Amino acid sequence: WLEFEDICKNFHGVAALKHISFKAYSGQVLSLVGENGAGKSTLLKILGGDYQPSSGTYRINGEEKHFASPYEAIRAGVGLIYQERQIMLELTVGENIFLGRLPTGFMGRIKMREVHSRAQAIIDEFGLDMKSTDKVKDLSVAYQQMVEIMKAYSRENLKMIAFDEPTASLSDSEIDSLFRIIRKLKAEGKVIIYVSHRMAEIRQIADRVAIFKDGRFVGDSPMDAITDKELVKKMEKTGA
């Protein structure tokens, strides 16, 4: 499980997050909802080591963490899929999936056959029409996004994964593939955080919803215990 306790984040004196406290549990999909600027992405970047909190703490399975960099977060089993792609366009799909942990053999030579066979197995599991040997620069924006997701999915130490608007560029069939993988991760007991503005999507995939407004956490609810109208009302900015 993941716990945020009294997280605050200020940028040049402006409060982006104000005393955020809530928990996300293993084997559940928790959706973060709120209008643009509500603080959802900022919180994920704190969890991913891109930002440091101005104050407050976060814990994984009760152990306090403080990731000084994305590399530290990844080593601890935290995967984040951001809206901005973070892949190497000139490399192949397989090289991107295993970037930073490519298997090597004699004299440190990369075992490319192993890279591509392992990567192709993941591609096939996702049901995608691409090859491990394809250059990422030749793929559609949607498929480049799926490469990022497969990269996080492939990590053996993955404990939790957060998705920030992952379906913005995906087709319906690709969304179906993504949701199938999310349900598999959920069955494996991972912590899953899902950010989206698409209410129908959230209804389909989330177990619980956490509501943000003006940089504050204003409450959470089981997904089936709150209506869309109630959600929108809680999300609306003061004075809206």
Side-chain angles (χ1 to χ4, degrees):
W1 51 276
L2 167 68
E3 179 181 11
F4 295 103
E5 184 178 341
D6 205 30
I7 295 281
C8 296
K9 179 62 179 176
N10 301 317
F11 292 102
H12 308 295
V14 177
L17 294 176
K18 308 165 189 172
H19 307 288
I20 302 288
S21 298
F22 69 91
K23 292 181 181 179
Y25 296 97
S26 302
Q28 284 190 353
V29 178
L30 176 69
S31 180
L32 308 188
V33 299
E35 295 187 345
N36 286 334
K40 309 179 301 295
S41 295
T42 300
L43 185 68
L44 293 189
K45 287 185 175 180
I46 286 174
L47 176 64
D50 292 279
Y51 294 162
Q52 303 304 312
S54 300
S55 61
T57 59
Y58 51 94
R59 300 181 183 88
I60 297 175
N61 295 331
E63 184 179 342
E64 189 170 319
K65 299 291 184 181
H66 185 92
F67 301 133
S69 67
Y71 177 70
E72 286 188 13
I74 289 167
R75 284 186 63 194
V78 176
L80 271 83
I81 309 298
Y82 293 123
Q83 289 175 274
E84 311 88 24
R85 289 185 301 283
Q86 299 176 315
I87 45 180
M88 306 295 285
L89 294 176
E90 293 296 328
L91 298 182
T92 65
V93 172
E95 287 168 323
N96 267 280
I97 289 175
F98 293 105
L99 195 63
R101 54 206 166 92
L102 292 162
T104 55
F106 181 69
M107 299 288 287
R109 187 170 294 173
I110 296 170
K111 297 180 178 178
M112 293 307 302
R113 185 176 294 180
E114 181 181 337
V115 167
H116 291 308
S117 65
R118 288 170 60 189
Q120 193 63 50
I122 295 169
I123 294 166
D124 294 344
E125 189 177 348
F126 272 65
L128 300 174
D129 182 22
M130 70 169 86
K131 298 295 182 189
S132 174
T133 50
D134 291 343
K135 287 279 183 74
V136 169
K137 68 179 180 181
D138 297 328
L139 302 179
S140 67
V141 170
Y143 268 27
Q144 289 177 7
Q145 173 85 333
M146 295 302 273
V147 171
E148 287 215 69
I149 293 167
M150 289 188 289
K151 182 177 179 179
Y153 174 77
S154 70
R155 295 188 185 113
E156 292 178 5
N157 70 330
L158 187 68
K159 295 184 179 72
M160 64 185 63
I161 187 165
F163 299 90
D164 192 0
E165 301 283 356
T167 62
S169 62
L170 302 186
S171 68
D172 287 346
S173 64
E174 290 158 355
I175 291 170
D176 288 343
S177 173
L178 172 62
F179 282 6
R180 182 168 46 79
I181 295 299
I182 287 176
R183 291 187 183 105
K184 183 174 185 292
L185 291 167
K186 174 180 160 180
E188 292 172 1
K190 314 297 187 197
V191 174
I192 302 162
I193 297 176
Y194 191 90
V195 176
S196 178
H197 286 95
R198 300 176 178 179
M199 205 61 72
E201 229 175 66
I202 293 167
R203 287 267 171 221
Q204 190 178 345
I205 199 65
D207 299 291
R208 293 184 66 83
V209 60
I211 306 155
F212 284 66
K213 181 173 75 172
D214 298 329
R216 296 185 184 276
F217 169 72
V218 296
D220 62 352
S221 169
M223 198 68 240
D224 57 6
I226 191 167
T227 66
D228 288 359
K229 190 174 181 179
E230 288 168 333
L231 265 179
V232 170
K233 187 174 181 181
K234 288 176 180 289
M235 284 164 46
E236 284 179 342
K237 289 184 179 180
T238 304

